[in-house]
Amino acid sequence: MTTPSENTPSRMNSTQAWVSYLSKVELPVLANTLRQINELTDSRNSTVNELANVILNDAQLTSQVLRLSNTVFYNQTRTQVSTVSRAITLIGFDAVKSMAISSLIVDTLLKRNDRPHLLRCLARAIHAAVQARCLMPKRTEHALEEVFIGALLMNIGELAFWSCETDQATELEERLRLDEPPVEAQKTVLHTTFTEITRGLVEAWSLGPFIREVVAPGKANSMASSLVRNTVEMATVSEHGWSGPEMDKVLERLSADVGESPAAIRDQLKVNAQEATKVAVSLGIPQVTALLPGNQDSAAGHGAEAPVMDPALQLQILRDLTQTLAEKPDINEVCQLVIEGIHRAIGMQRVALLMSDRTGQDLIPRKVGGRGTEEWREHLIIHKDGTGPLGELLPHGTCAIYKPGKQAGGVPYDRWLGKVPALVGSLTAKGRLVGLFYADNAAAGYVPSEQQLAAFAHFIQNAQLCLTLLTTNH
């Protein structure tokens, strides 16, 4: 199927048209890599190398898998893992396969879009996957990972759909905003439903017999597929709290799956939800943690809460910074470390360092990091005199939390800049403003915490120290 010259598709009007469009036009690389990974089963030794090779082909995927391999969720022995083949040996083939699939899904889809609908779907998928794996009574590694991936991919049609910029996505978003019943809205706008698109993608992408069983119409064929369906439903229902008639019904069904009382399961779900928050952070999407249950209640009235930070990583990067400053201050290397610290250790999704341009009047991007920052390199400008749509971002003092007003103006090239809370920190040379660090969490609208601000200020101090050393030496 070809796309019109505008790079936006003509309107799709059947399940088959959507499956074909998502598979061939929008997500061919994801479709092929998932197919490759799914076709590998741990039936012969060579597959360990094959799985390692598929992962090693993608640098981002490799670092994500290694990061997950060192989390307690996957690695209870806490033995440090630094290579993919070691991870497969120590943690198991199926576990590494499931890490690769979850990392791929998250990275591919979020690189393309950060619509609130996509973030909410991802939050639900990760929550359901963690719950299914934690609740699964038969503790074989294969069974655990099968239900994890089953729950993660049970709504792959919806995830894939929201990751694409199409007129139909914008139209459906609008109808849902007006509270039109979701399935009717899908039929009107898409001429099919997310459930049908998912079934089509499961076949087209060869996602395997278990997922086919999970998404098939009719009654579940096995305890495992029933558990997956019920945890996926529970992930949606739990957004309104852990009690209420709908939650009670889901708990009854989970109780039948797992063979424990509804009350015991409710307690377990709350603990597992905290685990899901940690997995989301390890997958590099701290911004969805605010959408997970438990994080919403405490955030009532303040918008959502900031995600959990990684103090160990923070300390490690600060040590690296101290060493760089002691050996030979290199502003490029220091700023790269600071950006990585803000992004990975503090949990800010998008980070930029802006420095003075040739005129000395404006700040323009020198380094950017995180998903959705590509456009910034070309377009982002902040006037030092505080005028223009982003002038408000200049901090009063060294570091601050920027909170947009109700009338916050945005910019045409980015959906969130200037409209969402952010961390901002200035760099000065001989008393003049020469640079600015900016960090936000795009669609996740929470205000960064005081701890995040303190850690951010700590990183900026190192960059400032380096700049001061360099300017006094010259």
Side-chain angles (χ1 to χ4, degrees), residues 20 53 55 97 136 147 207 218 238 292 307 318 329 350 395 399 442 474:
S20 171
N53 288 339
I55 294 169
K97 187 167 147 180
M136 182 70 180
V147 295
L207 296 181
S238 65
L292 291 165
L318 286 168
R350 313 191 301 172
C399 289
H474 285 154

Side-chain angles (χ1 to χ4, degrees), residues 268-426:
Q268 221 178 321
L269 292 177
K270 291 178 187 173
V271 175
N272 300 345
Q274 292 312 306
E275 199 58 61
T277 299
K278 291 179 195 160
V279 171
V281 172
S282 303
L283 277 165
I285 43 170
Q287 67 274 31
V288 308
T289 58
L291 303 171
L292 291 165
N295 300 347
Q296 295 147 318
D297 311 342
S298 53
H302 318 286
E305 271 202 341
V308 189
M309 295 198 298
D310 186 337
L313 184 60
Q314 202 177 314
L315 197 60
Q316 183 192 325
I317 294 173
L318 286 168
R319 278 201 199 108
D320 293 348
L321 276 166
T322 310
Q323 198 175 343
T324 307
L325 287 169
E327 287 168 359
K328 178 172 166 284
D330 174 337
I331 191 72
N332 267 322
E333 196 178 329
V334 166
C335 287
Q336 192 54 52
L337 277 167
V338 169
I339 282 199
E340 193 169 329
I342 296 167
H343 183 45
R344 291 178 54 214
I346 303 180
M348 299 303 287
Q349 188 195 345
R350 313 191 301 172
V351 190
L353 164 63
L354 296 100
M355 298 293 279
S356 292
D357 68 350
R358 286 204 179 92
T359 68
Q361 308 297 307
D362 294 332
L363 295 168
I364 56 172
R366 176 72 68 82
K367 290 179 184 293
V368 296
R371 298 187 183 93
T373 52
E374 296 75 23
E375 294 281 313
W376 295 4
R377 289 182 195 281
E378 302 295 314
H379 304 291
L380 178 52
I381 295 177
I382 297 177
H383 307 315
K384 288 188 187 177
D385 62 5
T387 59
L390 299 177
E392 296 275 302
L393 293 177
L394 292 173
H396 304 291
T398 326
C399 289
I401 297 174
Y402 164 75
K403 295 177 187 169
K406 284 273 181 283
Q407 301 306 312
V411 287
Y413 55 86
D414 187 281
R415 201 178 286 178
W416 316 112
L417 267 179
K419 293 183 173 179
V420 292
L423 291 170
V424 283
S426 56

Side-chain angles (χ1 to χ4, degrees), residues 31 75 154 199:
N75 180 351
M154 187 173 157
R199 286 177 188 147

